[in-house]
Amino acid sequence: MQRNNGITATGGSNVVGNAVASGRNAQAEVRDSGLTQSDGGRQQSPQEIGELLSRLIDELGRSEHPERADLIEAAEDAREELASETPRKGKLKLFARALVGAVPGFTALASLAVAIEEAVRGL
């Protein structure tokens, strides 16, 4: 059995997640970067989401993303919001949605962005 660490699409035309394959015998593959966390749907704590944000900041710092400085600043703001006595969930959800939209094409960042969005949605 072959291990599937992401999305694999073969043949025909397929669009699945952030993988696209088009044309005869087309193939698209997305591998797991090891950045996502799967916990069976358990609600993550603000501290755990803060750790995800710290990992995102580290990854952004190593990336070539053209807006990495702004994204790092936004992630740092979100991390501070999470650490506040009463985090504003609406602000965090806006950040998470914007993050997912800002990182397509950067697979490792996109995987982590989705994990953060799902965690924030569970707050």
Side-chain angles (χ1 to χ4, degrees):
M1 175 185 293
Q2 182 179 5
R3 182 173 173 206
N4 183 357
N5 288 329
I7 299 168
T8 303
T10 59
S13 296
N14 296 293
V15 178
V16 181
N18 61 353
V20 178
S22 180
R24 184 179 177 138
N25 297 321
Q27 295 182 334
E29 190 170 326
V30 176
R31 293 277 178 200
D32 184 346
S33 65
L35 296 173
T36 58
Q37 290 184 323
S38 178
D39 58 9
R42 181 183 65 82
Q43 182 176 340
Q44 295 185 5
S45 71
Q47 293 79 18
E48 290 170 316
I49 298 170
E51 290 170 13
L52 286 173
L53 288 166
S54 293
R55 290 170 59 191
L56 175 68
I57 291 165
D58 291 344
E59 286 296 321
L60 281 165
R62 289 189 292 272
S63 80
E64 296 295 321
H65 194 286
E67 298 173 15
R68 73 174 174 249
D70 291 336
L71 290 169
I72 288 171
E73 183 178 347
E76 289 171 341
D77 290 346
R79 191 172 53 186
E80 287 176 23
E81 186 67 35
L82 276 166
S84 72
E85 191 172 312
T86 54
R88 294 174 288 178
K89 293 178 186 176
K91 181 176 181 177
L92 293 167
K93 288 179 181 181
L94 283 172
F95 163 76
R97 281 194 298 269
L99 176 62
V100 170
V103 295
F106 289 80
T107 304
L109 295 174
S111 296
L112 190 50
V114 169
I116 291 168
E117 182 185 33
E118 289 173 359
V120 165
R121 200 175 327 130
L123 282 178

